[in-house]
Amino acid sequence: MQDLEQNLPLASSPQNTPPTLRAHVVKMLSADILSGKYKPGDRLNESQIARELNISRIPVREALSQLQEQGLVQNRERRGMFVTNIGPEEVLQISSLRIILETEALRLAKAHMTPQILLQLENLTVQMDDWNGTLLEAAALDLQFHRTIWQAAGNPYLERALNALMVPLFAHKTLEHVTKDVRRWRLSHHRMLLDAVAGRSQDDPQDLLLSHMRMSYTEPERYSTLAMKQS
C-alpha cells in the first residue's frame, strides 16, 4: 500500500490534518465500502486502516466521521464505527415516517417556493438526467435534491428530523448493488416531485411521494395507516 502522506503537504500539528489527505482517505474508504470490500455491518477498525494506508490514525478518524455524516458509516457506542446496515423491516418502519414528514415538506416547499430554489432543483434534475458517473455521485445528487426541498419547507425542525431519519436510509440504498440503468431510472423519477413543488402538478404530494418511493421499495407504506386504508 502506498504511503498517502509522502506527496501531500503535512500539517505542523498532528491535530490539523491536511484536507487533501483526509479527502484521499474518504475517497478510498467510500470506494471500498461501495465495492463490497467492507460489507454492511462490518466494523471499520481505525488502527488497521491506518496501518494499511501507512498513515496516522487521525486522518482515518476524521474520514470516518465524515462518512458518518454522509450516512455510510454508523457509530455504535463503545464498539466503534461500522458500515451502515439497516434491516428490511427497519427500512419499512423508517419509510412510514418518511411518508408523513416528507409529504409535509413537499407541501411547505410548494408554498414557500422561490425562483432561486426552483432553479437549484431544476439544475439538480438536469444533472440527474445526464448522470453517467459513479453510484456514489448518483446518491449524492439524489440526497441533495431531497435536502433542497426539506430546506425550502422553511421549518428547521422538520429539516433536521428528515436529515436524521433519511441520511442513513439513503446511504443504505447506495450500498445496494443495482445496474446503472436501474439507478438512472430512479433518478429520472424526480421530475414529478419537481413538478409538484413548482406548482405544475395537481396530483396529491403524498401520492407522488409514494410512487417515488416504490421505485426503490416494495410496500413502503406497510407500517403506515395508508396500508390499512388500502386493505
Side-chain angles (χ1 to χ4, degrees), residues 30 37 42 70 96 114 126 131 145 148 170 174 185 189 197 199 216-217:
S30 297
K37 176 182 176 181
D42 281 356
Q70 295 174 5
S96 70
T114 66
V126 170
W131 169 77
F145 177 90
T148 302
F170 271 75
T174 304
W185 173 61
H189 208 257
V197 296
S216 301
Y217 309 105

Side-chain angles (χ1 to χ4, degrees), residues 104-160:
E104 180 69 358
L106 286 166
R107 288 172 175 155
L108 287 171
K110 178 181 178 180
H112 298 153
M113 187 53 56
T114 66
Q116 293 79 12
I117 295 172
L118 185 57
L119 181 60
Q120 290 179 44
L121 292 169
E122 295 274 11
N123 288 338
L124 285 167
T125 306
V126 170
Q127 290 179 61
M128 286 190 279
D129 286 344
D130 294 340
W131 169 77
N132 193 31
T134 67
L135 295 181
L136 191 59
E137 290 167 347
L141 285 171
D142 190 350
L143 181 56
Q144 189 177 352
F145 177 90
H146 287 272
R147 274 179 159 165
T148 302
I149 290 176
W150 305 340
Q151 186 175 26
N155 183 334
Y157 293 96
L158 176 61
E159 182 184 357
R160 283 201 292 270

Side-chain angles (χ1 to χ4, degrees), residues 170-182:
F170 271 75
H172 170 78
K173 293 307 292 182
T174 304
L175 298 175
E176 180 186 40
H177 292 283
V178 298
T179 66
K180 292 192 87 168
D181 285 342
V182 169

Side-chain angles (χ1 to χ4, degrees), residues 1-2 4 23-33 38 53:
M1 180 67 69
Q2 70 180 60
L4 289 180
H24 271 287
V25 180
V26 168
K27 185 176 180 179
M28 293 180 72
L29 288 177
S30 297
D32 286 344
I33 291 171
Y38 297 117
L53 298 178

Side-chain angles (χ1 to χ4, degrees), residues 71-100:
L72 284 178
V73 169
Q74 296 172 317
N75 187 0
R76 300 180 186 173
E77 191 174 358
R78 298 191 187 90
R79 296 182 61 195
M81 294 289 200
F82 292 77
V83 178
T84 294
N85 185 29
I86 304 175
E89 291 302 300
E90 289 179 282
V91 167
L92 294 177
Q93 289 163 357
I94 294 172
S95 294
S96 70
L97 294 176
R98 178 185 180 182
I99 293 167
I100 298 168

